[in-house]
Amino acid sequence: MKVNKNFDNLVSNYLFAEVAKRTSDFIEKNPDKKVIKLGIGDVTLPLAPVVVDAMKEGADELGKKETFKGYPDYEGYEFVRQAVSDYYKSFGVTVGADEILITDGAKSDSGNIGDIFSEDNVVLVTDPVYPVYVDSNIMAGRKIIYADSNERNGFAAMPDDSVKADIIYLCSPNNPTGSAYTYDQLKAWVDYANKNDSVIIYDAAYEAFITEDNCPRSIFAVEGARTCAIELCSLSKTAGFTGTRCGYTVIPKELERDGHNIYKLWYRREATKFNGVSWPVQRGAAAVFSEEGQRQIKENIAYYQENARIISSAMDELGIYYTGGKNSPYIWLKCPNGMGSWEFFDFLLEKANVVGTPGEGFGENGAGYFRLTSFGDRDNTIEAVERIKKVLCNR
Ligand code: PLP
């Protein structure tokens, strides 16, 4: 018996464990201090009422013989896929219901999609990066190369024609940097992928936070994307499904590589290893895309967006360089006064009793940067920002 030795190549990601440890040590030593956490990537507002009602109805339907449901269709129920397709139409993108598969979320999808690709492909990720893309490809034994996101390109890495990559992970709006690609920037990636016979795995988990018209909500808004891209999306951050679990993949029927249809490979993978999302959750997901559902979830998104605006305007006042905040719940800032990521973490915790996330946990280019999130409570966000302003002005 042999285990998958690729696991030996994983770098132990101690980031969140270390953040939790330093925070709990501080709280233990300072029980009178109110610590505010702006480091979390999880939502805090509850599910929209229309979604809860649909889930309750779904549960009731399971309790009656006439409406009971067993295994769902592998690709998700047609009415949910149609609702997703109509949602894309609402921002001007045409994808067929038969090009959509309902899944349990973008984290699993971004790892699982690798099943359909050979392990000798070269994978390109942008640095800093959502760690799942890296770790899942290390587990599969693939070579990983990095495209630099940095201050010079506004933390939005661009393709380099002298580099050959087979699989490209893009995330826009980006976690952790909050930057969102413009149409022209995405077009450059699409052109690169079509020219090099690569596939783009496009993570649109934060699309609902986009406010600027020149930043597409979907890669399929970009001409040429249908022959090179797979889109992953999720209801986690848009509708508070982090605990409930529902997402979707979009694969255009014309996407072919190496003599194979990519939709068919992914469908086969899902049919073999995944038995679908539960009926109450799919009922809830469909409700997200109803007119009332959209109105209700937009209220929650607006709440987080206002938190992001509050944090960003504090950075503006302090003259601190940052990306994100506008099209994203994340604010990615340069640690002031040349501090390192962990140095700034300790400084903020001790002086302002505020917790954020050190950038170097997301890759080499994150060193010296820091992530704050807008998923917290409004009053706490305001208080945290006031404290940050105070300690940085008094330094
Ligand atoms: N993709 C990105 C870029 C994320 O930041 C996250 C969660 O933080 C996910 C995917 C996970 O999404 P899901 O909850 O749908 O698995």
Side-chain angles (χ1 to χ4, degrees):
M1 204 296 288
K2 293 195 176 109
V3 300
N4 180 350
K5 297 285 190 310
N6 294 321
F7 277 62
D8 294 341
N9 300 325
L10 292 170
V11 178
S12 66
N13 197 333
Y14 68 105
L15 175 75
F16 289 103
E18 185 63 20
V19 165
K21 186 181 174 313
R22 291 192 194 198
T23 308
S24 62
D25 286 353
F26 179 84
I27 292 171
E28 205 174 296
K29 282 193 207 117
N30 303 278
D32 53 318
K33 299 256 162 71
K34 179 187 165 196
V35 171
I36 300 178
K37 295 181 182 168
L38 293 189
I40 48 155
D42 200 352
V43 292
T44 51
L45 293 174
L47 292 170
V50 72
V51 171
V52 175
D53 287 345
M55 287 179 175
K56 282 183 186 162
E57 284 165 24
D60 284 342
E61 284 154 4
L62 293 182
K64 293 192 199 97
K65 191 162 180 16
E66 313 77 61
T67 47
F68 172 75
K69 301 276 183 301
Y71 292 123
D73 300 333
Y74 296 126
E75 71 272 46
Y77 287 104
E78 210 273 335
F79 69 94
V80 189
R81 291 183 287 108
Q82 189 55 53
V84 176
S85 168
D86 292 344
Y87 173 65
Y88 273 80
K89 209 172 287 159
S90 73
F91 49 83
V93 174
T94 303
V95 291
D98 58 352
E99 298 177 315
I100 293 162
L101 293 100
I102 306 300
T103 69
D104 67 347
K107 183 177 190 175
S108 359
D109 290 347
S110 59
N112 293 339
I113 195 83
D115 277 9
I116 67 172
F117 299 115
S118 157
E119 70 266 20
D120 50 19
N121 286 299
V122 173
V123 173
L124 181 143
V125 300
T126 60
D127 172 14
V129 61
Y130 177 55
V132 176
Y133 313 150
V134 173
D135 287 357
S136 54
N137 281 290
I138 288 177
M139 288 174 187
R142 293 194 189 94
K143 180 180 170 192
I144 299 174
I145 57 173
Y146 295 85
D148 285 331
S149 297
N150 52 37
E151 245 176 273
R152 285 185 299 287
N153 55 32
F155 281 94
M158 294 302 295
D160 175 349
D161 278 330
S162 68
V163 170
K164 171 89 179 84
D166 304 306
I167 299 171
I168 299 159
Y169 282 81
L170 297 180
C171 175
S172 179
N174 191 273
N175 180 13
T177 74
S179 64
Y181 282 119
T182 63
Y183 183 95
D184 291 345
Q185 288 174 322
L186 275 184
K187 178 84 173 92
W189 279 109
V190 164
D191 289 347
Y192 171 96
N194 279 322
K195 197 164 107 197
N196 289 282
D197 211 25
S198 332
V199 167
I200 295 174
I201 298 171
Y202 188 78
D203 187 339
Y206 298 96
E207 59 80 15
F209 289 83
I210 290 180
T211 55
E212 291 179 318
D213 288 345
N214 63 341
C215 299
R217 304 271 295 267
S218 160
I219 196 164
F220 298 118
V222 176
E223 195 199 332
R226 289 183 62 86
T227 51
C228 67
I230 294 171
E231 185 155 296
L232 320 178
C233 201
S234 163
L235 296 184
S236 284
K237 307 300 161 81
T238 53
F241 275 54
T242 51
T244 318
R245 313 303 309 143
C246 193
Y248 44 93
T249 49
V250 184
I251 307 187
K253 286 288 171 69
E254 60 260 50
L255 179 55
E256 308 262 346
R257 284 293 179 274
D258 197 15
H260 287 73
N261 180 276
I262 299 296
Y263 173 92
K264 283 189 185 155
L265 291 182
W266 179 236
Y267 180 91
R268 184 64 208 263
R269 189 272 169 211
E270 291 292 87
T272 302
K273 293 194 185 180
F274 181 60
N275 249 340
V277 174
S278 75
W279 172 251
V281 171
Q282 292 206 47
R283 288 280 267 107
V288 167
F289 298 108
S290 68
E291 214 177 307
E292 182 55 15
Q294 285 294 296
R295 198 191 60 71
Q296 292 180 4
I297 65 154
K298 279 178 185 156
E299 276 177 17
N300 288 2
I301 292 168
Y303 180 93
Y304 298 135
Q305 284 171 325
E306 175 58 12
N307 286 351
R309 193 200 58 74
I310 290 166
I311 301 171
S312 315
S313 53
M315 296 305 127
D316 288 334
E317 271 178 55
L318 291 163
I320 291 176
Y321 172 88
Y322 68 95
T323 49
K326 262 195 214 81
N327 298 305
S328 158
Y330 297 118
I331 291 91
W332 175 255
L333 59 110
K334 187 172 188 165
C335 300
N337 308 315
M339 277 190 261
S341 300
W342 280 108
E343 194 185 347
F344 187 56
F345 175 89
D346 290 334
F347 171 82
L348 269 196
L349 180 58
E350 275 156 33
K351 306 282 188 227
N353 313 144
V354 171
V355 178
T357 312
E360 64 193 64
F362 300 100
E364 274 178 26
N365 287 349
Y369 292 85
F370 202 73
R371 193 191 73 176
L372 294 175
T373 86
S374 64
F375 286 126
D377 167 82
R378 173 69 45 77
D379 291 341
N380 281 344
T381 303
I382 293 172
E383 192 178 336
V385 156
E386 287 310 315
R387 292 191 204 162
I388 293 172
K389 284 203 282 197
K390 201 160 148 213
V391 296
L392 286 176
C393 288
N394 289 342
R395 222 175 112 84

